[in-house]
Structures are given as C-alpha cells and as structure tokens.
Amino acid sequence: MARKKPRLATTSLAGCFGCHMSLLDIDDRILQVAELVDFDKSPIDDFKEFTGRCAIGLVEGGCCNEENVEVLRDFRKHCDILVSIGDCATMGGIPALRNMVPLQECLDEAYLNGPSVYNPSGKVPDDEEVPLMLDKVYPAHEVVKIDYHLPGCPPPADTLFAALVALLGNEPVELPYQLIKYD
Amino acid sequence: MSQTYTIHIDGVAIQALPGQKLIEAADAAGIYIPRLCHKRGLEPFGACRLCTVLVNGRPGTACTTPVADGMVVENDIESLREFRKQIIEMLFVEGNHFCMFCEMSGNCELQAMAYRFGITAPRYPYIWPHREIDASHPDILIDRNRCILCGRCVRASRDIDGKHVYDFVGRGAHKQIAVNAAARLADTNADVTDEALNVCPVGALLKKRTAFQVPIGRRLYDLKPIGSEIESDGSTRID
Ligand code: SF4
Ligand code: SF4
Ligand code: FES
C-alpha cells in the first residue's frame, strides 16, 4: 500500500521571499523533497488555503501586521512542526528596523513627510482592505510557539535541505557549525 | 626555578604560574574558557560573566580569579554551557543586532559565540532599545546599537593609548559607552591609529571605510568556531 506522504506548508509573512528563493536554491534536490513530501498551502504550488493537517510548516518573515498574525496562527494550528526560517522570522530582520521608531512617526515619514513622497490626499492609507499594522515587528516565536529556528539572511540552501531531511526522517535537527549563520 | 602550581580543569591537570589569572593558565594549556570582555593584553575587567567557571565548587570569573595551587575547576559542563547561552541570548535582545548588514559579521566575537553554542534564536523577547550613533569623527564610527558594554575600548584607550577617550555613563539598562567630550567623538583626541579601535569584539567601534573587505567564507569565524585558535594540547598540561 502506498504510504501517504507527509505534507509541507510554507509562507512568507513580513519577509522578502529571499528564504523561499534559498529553498529553490537547493537545485535538483528539490526533486528529493518532492518525493518526500506533498506541498500544501504554499506560494510554491499557489495553494491559498490549508487542505489538511501538515507535518511541517516553514515560516519566512516575522509579523508586522494583523494579517501576518492570522496566517501564523493558522500555520500553528495546522502544522505538527513549525520552523522559523530566516532572520526576519527569528529576530524581525530588516522590517524590524522600524522598531526603534514610534509607529506614527514611521507612517508619517512613509506617507506624508518622506523626501520622495507624492501623496495629494495628505492622508495615511486607512482602507479596511489594508491590514492593520502592529506597533512593532515581532519575530514569529513571540507570537506562536516555534519548534525550530533556522537563522540566516537567507538561511543557506544546505541548511534548509539538511533541516528538512532531518525533520522528515524524524531525526533531531543538528546542524554542523558552518550551517548556522546570521547573515 | 620559580614555583609552579598544579590545577585541574575538567579533570585535566595543568601547570600554572603564581600571579596568573585562571583564564591565562587555561589558555596556555590549550583549554578554552569562553569570554567576551577579556582580551589578552588588557586589564581583567570581569564584566560579561561569560567566563564563569566553578572554582572548588563555587562560581567565579576565570578572567579575574588568580590561580592557586590545587584548584579544582569545572568549565565545560552542562550547567555552565546553559548559563553561558543565556548570557549570549540576553546580549542579543538587549541591543539591536542586525547581523545581516553589520560590518563586523563573520568577524564578530558575540556572533561567533552564539555560533559556537549553536544558538539559533534567543529565548527572551527583544527589547529594541533606542541607542544613539556617533558618526561625527571623520574616521571612526560608534554604533551603540551593537555595544555590549565590555569595556575593552575603555581599557585600551586608557592603558595603551594613554588617552581615556571612552568611558561608561548611566546605570543599569541606561548604561552606555560615552566619549570624553561634551558632545561628540569628533571633539576628542581619538585617532584612527588608536589601539582602542582594534579591540571592540562587536561592530560598535569601527574604522570608517574599511568594511566588507574580506569575502564571505574567508572571515574569521566562517569555518571554525571562536576558541578553536586556543584549543590544543597545550605544553603546560601534565599527563
Ligand atoms: S555586532 Fe556582531 S552580533 Fe551585533 S549585529 Fe554585528 S555581527 Fe551581529
Ligand atoms: S564600544 Fe565595543 S569595546 Fe567599547 S564597550 Fe562597547 S562593545 Fe566594548
Ligand atoms: S571574560 Fe571574564 S567576565 Fe568577561
């Protein structure tokens, strides 16, 4: 009887998709991954919603708005193991540079006062379609429980591959020295 | 012949010289005790507590504790490794460390220490403190976001450069590195040739226009953990 493959979900929250690029950077080993798992909700197969329980969820990016929080909680609910990938998920990353500046000042600079701003309305966008920004950018583990962290900007392709193979083989993720990097 | 002491570190017997600090005796024997504020050639300071070991069962900092004959020292044990990890993680959340664009990345002792201990993310919530940058000097930059208050620049400027350009102001969470001038580094006698600029373990005190000259893969801690330059079968071991 063919064993059902475990499912893998991925998402990019407040990130730049660089970590997903790094995932593609495992080159032809993506075929090995495809043999080991089926992709569920992920930009890789463009599934917008979860179709069921997932063994592993990979989270790129931290939370900068309420939509990020919703998606992250949804991932926690559907995934047995949740992994933060990249510096944005593990520490906030570049988006968190705004954490040292009050939110109102950030919005004013971006939409009203910045040197290159053209905004005849003179207003900060507040359409209800636009997700509400959080006061700060939060690393994923400050919002939900995260089981493993793979730092890096982005994490090296080898790091992502090694961790995936270990997790899918029910082994502990023990990365060699060269595969833990913060840059 | 001068007298020597025998001490044991994690069960290894080594020779030590009277007047030596524990960390120096360990270094000579090829035993690495993790450290951040200590640097060979500078006065011991005892600020970071990373070098804490158990001396005859009691915690003490190896960089400030003088050796004594018959000392029994525990260094690389689970409880201390855990304690050191916590210190490193606290240093990361107490400052603003954006390694992905930091000039010091790959050569930074704090980052290297996190790598050595296999830390993938700190367990504590980030504080995101507001810290000032001083870019007034034509050749030197102070980025307090990355300062870990190790006091190395204070000691090097005072004791080697004979200038006393840097010192601490404030207490507790408000403590920060300051310069000996009413306002800015540019108003001091700091110079780009000062030894103080070579001792900062992190990217807080930097020479301008020198960043990113070594490619990734060839930086100090890209391939080998910090401390591996010390770890060996040192000549002062007794078998
Ligand atoms: S000083 Fe070190 S730990 Fe801090 S951002 Fe720079 S490389 Fe990272
Ligand atoms: S500027 Fe560098 S050397 Fe000086 S106290 Fe801060 S971290 Fe230490
Ligand atoms: S190295 Fe000993 S206290 Fe910092």
Side-chain angles (χ1 to χ4, degrees), chain B residues 92 96-99 102 104-106 108 110-111 146 202-204:
Chain B
F92 270 93
N96 299 310
H97 294 274
F98 291 86
C99 294
C102 177
M104 201 64 170
S105 194
C108 165
L110 173 64
Q111 183 192 64
R146 304 168 183 156
V202 291

Side-chain angles (χ1 to χ4, degrees), chain B residues 112-147:
Chain B
M113 208 59 81
Y115 290 171
R116 181 180 169 105
F117 283 89
I119 294 168
T120 53
R123 71 196 73 179
Y124 308 108
Y126 283 90
I127 294 173
W128 309 116
H130 185 82
R131 301 265 185 89
E132 297 291 337
I133 289 175
D134 183 339
S136 62
H137 195 284
D139 304 314
I140 308 168
L141 173 74
I142 303 179
D143 186 344
R144 294 186 181 83
N145 290 291
R146 304 168 183 156
C147 174

